[in-house]
């Protein structure tokens, strides 16, 4: 079934939308969640929570890409679960990814910083669109999908050291872009 048809099912409040979403993107959702949590049971629970959240959060405008919409939801649900587990000192698998990105763009929570969030998102999107395709793939697979350097290197048929160096240079480049736009 095509994405547009699945979105129509959501708009019609037809429960078949959940089945079709699971058929089309269940594997991707589990992979994203598992890469963040590194726990099978927690990942499965997050996937189910994401389906419920998807059902309850039909956007006012129909999403252009169902894959991106559901990926964002599962990623957010999984990160929230990770934060809860981390707060309880039960798990620390996501710490490395967040620490690496914190070197580029620090996490802030003031009201003023929240206002700038949309502008920062646009900056990052512009930065990503200016990257060569392989760099964009490496960056997104590491920091959006949470894949390991070793997995990315294997899939791209390169050495892990190459991927690590590219990620280091990409973070450095992102930080420069961030600072040049007067965010830093």
């Amino acid at each position: 079934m095509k994405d547009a048809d699945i979105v129509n099912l959501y708009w019609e409040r037809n429960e078949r939308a959940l089945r079709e979403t699971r058929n089309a993107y269940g594997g991707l959702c589990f992979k994203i969640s598992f890469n963040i949590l590194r726990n099978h049971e927690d990942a499965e629970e997050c996937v189910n929570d994401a389906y419920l959240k998807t059902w309850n959060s039909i956007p006012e405008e129909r999403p252009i890409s169902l894959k991106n919409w559901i990926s964002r939801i599962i990623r957010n649900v999984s990160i929230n679960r990770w934060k809860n587990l981390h707060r309880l000192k039960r798990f620390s698998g996501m710490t490395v990814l967040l620490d690496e990105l914190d070197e580029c763009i620090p996490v802030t929570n003031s009201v003023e910083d929240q206002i700038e969030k949309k502008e920062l998102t646009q900056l990052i999107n512009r930065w990503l669109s200016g990257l060569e395709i392989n760099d964009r793939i490496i960056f997104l697979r590491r920091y959006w999908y949470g894949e390991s350097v070793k997995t990315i290197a294997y899939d791209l048929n390169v050495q892990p050291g190459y991927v690590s160096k590219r990620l280091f240079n990409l973070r450095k480049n992102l930080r420069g872009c961030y600072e040049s736009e007067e965010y830093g």
Side-chain angles (χ1 to χ4, degrees), residues 42-59:
D42 287 337
E44 283 183 354
E45 192 171 329
C46 281
V47 169
N48 289 329
D49 291 349
Y51 292 146
L52 178 61
K53 189 169 179 102
T54 302
W55 179 262
N56 291 329
S57 66
I58 305 294

Side-chain angles (χ1 to χ4, degrees), residues 14-106:
N14 185 330
E15 291 182 17
R16 183 172 167 220
L18 296 172
R19 258 190 330 275
E20 296 298 335
T21 301
R22 182 178 24 247
N23 291 341
Y25 298 110
L28 174 66
C29 290
F30 180 81
K31 182 178 179 181
I32 291 170
S33 186
F34 185 81
N35 285 341
I36 292 169
L37 298 169
R38 301 286 184 216
N39 181 288
H40 187 80
E41 292 80 19
D42 287 337
E44 283 183 354
E45 192 171 329
C46 281
V47 169
N48 289 329
D49 291 349
Y51 292 146
L52 178 61
K53 189 169 179 102
T54 302
W55 179 262
N56 291 329
S57 66
I58 305 294
E60 291 181 21
E61 293 183 26
R62 294 175 190 239
I64 295 170
S65 169
L66 179 61
K67 178 181 179 183
N68 291 342
W69 183 44
I70 190 76
S71 293
R72 174 183 247 174
I73 290 171
I74 187 62
R75 187 172 187 276
N76 290 339
V77 167
S78 299
I79 287 173
N80 288 339
R81 171 67 54 82
W82 176 86
K83 286 177 181 177
N84 284 336
L85 294 173
H86 187 70
R87 182 175 35 248
L88 299 173
K89 306 273 186 209
R90 289 176 34 195
F91 184 77
S92 63
M94 191 73 178
T95 304
V96 174
L97 292 177
L98 296 176
D99 287 346
E100 287 175 3
L101 286 178
D102 192 39
E103 294 170 6
C104 304
I105 300 173

Side-chain angles (χ1 to χ4, degrees), residues 126-166:
R126 281 192 314 269
W127 177 79
L128 281 170
S129 68
L131 294 178
E132 292 183 20
I133 190 73
N134 283 341
D135 285 343
R136 191 177 323 146
I137 289 169
I138 289 170
F139 191 85
L140 290 174
R141 286 185 67 179
R142 177 69 174 153
Y143 297 115
W144 181 259
Y145 296 108
E147 293 182 7
S148 71
V149 169
K150 189 175 181 178
T151 300
I152 297 167
Y154 178 80
D155 289 348
L156 297 177
N157 199 26
V158 296
Q159 294 296 316
Y162 171 80
V163 173
S164 294
K165 182 151 180 68
R166 290 304 314 141

